[in-house]
Amino acid sequence: MIALRDIDDLVPRIQEVASVESLLGIEGGIAAKYFSRFGDMLKPRDFDASWDFTHRNRRPPRDPVNALLSFVYALLVKECTVALLGEGLDPWWGLYHKPRHGRPALALDLMEPLRPTVADSAVITAVNTGMVTERSFTRAASACMLQEGGRKAMLRAFEARLDGLVTHPVFDYRCSWRNIIRMQARLLARWLRGDIPNYQNVVTR
């Protein structure tokens, strides 16, 4: 795919960056390529033009897919925030994401590598299995919002994804994504305290 080739071209530039701002620029470029083809993975049963998805938008989300992504990202931030608090870390002081009022920056740092495998995957499942449909949303002006039934359905898809099993790259045993989040928070705490030499993200095939 063209998008994958474009992303492959951007990834080596990460090793050359001299500032967080430059890294943010590369991340933005990769995210744009990723989301430009995200819609190709969606096969809604009640196909309608309103499901067309070409880019990420928020505050407010303007279409069903962006409404789902915003909702599930908020759920993932909460999971990461709780995991960090459990390790005695302040979720409001980040490393990559800058601290800002009302923004749990360290939780965003922790969740960043987990977005595609946990949050995005849950959205794809919810759409493709018909857990959410066009009737799950309401529209007001340019905003698109999940109705209560849609939120409950998306929450079920998210919880099911958290219970899915994966092999942890450091500990080499299978555990749920829910436990993976807690383990990553623990590893991050140990790295910050100097107990381990590096912090390794979870990468799946």
Side-chain angles (χ1 to χ4, degrees):
M1 290 176 61
I2 295 176
L4 290 176
R5 290 198 297 269
D6 291 341
I7 290 173
D8 285 341
D9 290 341
L10 288 170
V11 169
R13 293 172 53 188
I14 294 174
Q15 304 299 326
E16 304 169 1
V17 299
S19 66
V20 172
E21 290 73 21
S22 297
L23 187 57
L24 283 168
I26 294 175
E27 180 199 7
I30 292 174
K33 296 295 182 183
Y34 169 75
F35 283 118
S36 72
R37 302 309 297 265
F38 186 79
D40 294 346
M41 295 183 281
L42 302 175
K43 309 296 179 186
R45 296 184 178 184
D46 60 335
F47 179 80
D48 187 272
S50 63
W51 285 104
D52 289 350
F53 177 88
T54 57
H55 65 282
R56 183 81 174 101
N57 60 65
R58 54 199 178 102
R59 298 178 188 171
R62 297 189 289 275
D63 57 79
V65 178
N66 274 294
L68 291 171
L69 289 171
S70 292
F71 180 68
V72 80
Y73 287 163
L75 295 176
L76 185 54
V77 168
K78 187 201 76 168
E79 290 288 330
C80 291
T81 298
V82 171
L84 291 170
L85 289 171
E87 295 300 322
L89 296 176
D90 186 343
W92 305 100
W93 290 96
L95 301 171
Y96 182 55
H97 292 86
K98 292 183 178 180
R100 198 164 66 214
H101 179 70
R103 183 192 203 196
L106 191 60
L108 293 173
D109 287 342
L110 182 64
M111 76 169 275
E112 197 68 44
L114 301 169
R115 286 178 187 252
T117 51
V118 179
D120 297 357
S121 177
V123 169
I124 293 168
T125 296
V127 172
N128 291 357
T129 60
M131 295 177 71
V132 292
T133 67
E134 178 67 17
R135 294 190 299 274
S136 302
F137 304 88
T138 57
R139 297 176 184 271
S142 61
C144 182
M145 298 165 289
L146 271 166
Q147 295 183 355
E148 182 179 356
R151 289 194 296 271
K152 289 180 178 179
M154 192 63 249
L155 181 58
R156 289 196 301 272
F158 179 71
E159 291 290 330
R161 184 56 179 164
L162 286 180
D163 291 335
L165 300 179
V166 65
T167 300
H168 195 282
V170 174
F171 303 108
D172 197 30
Y173 62 78
R174 290 178 67 75
C175 55
S176 69
W177 280 108
R178 194 185 308 274
N179 285 330
I180 287 284
I181 293 172
R182 295 168 185 164
M183 289 180 186
Q184 291 306 110
R186 187 168 304 147
L187 287 173
L188 180 60
R190 293 184 64 191
W191 175 68
L192 289 171
R193 292 164 184 154
D195 297 334
I196 56 176
N198 54 63
Y199 172 80
Q200 183 176 337
N201 284 316
V202 177
V203 178
T204 59
R205 298 176 64 181

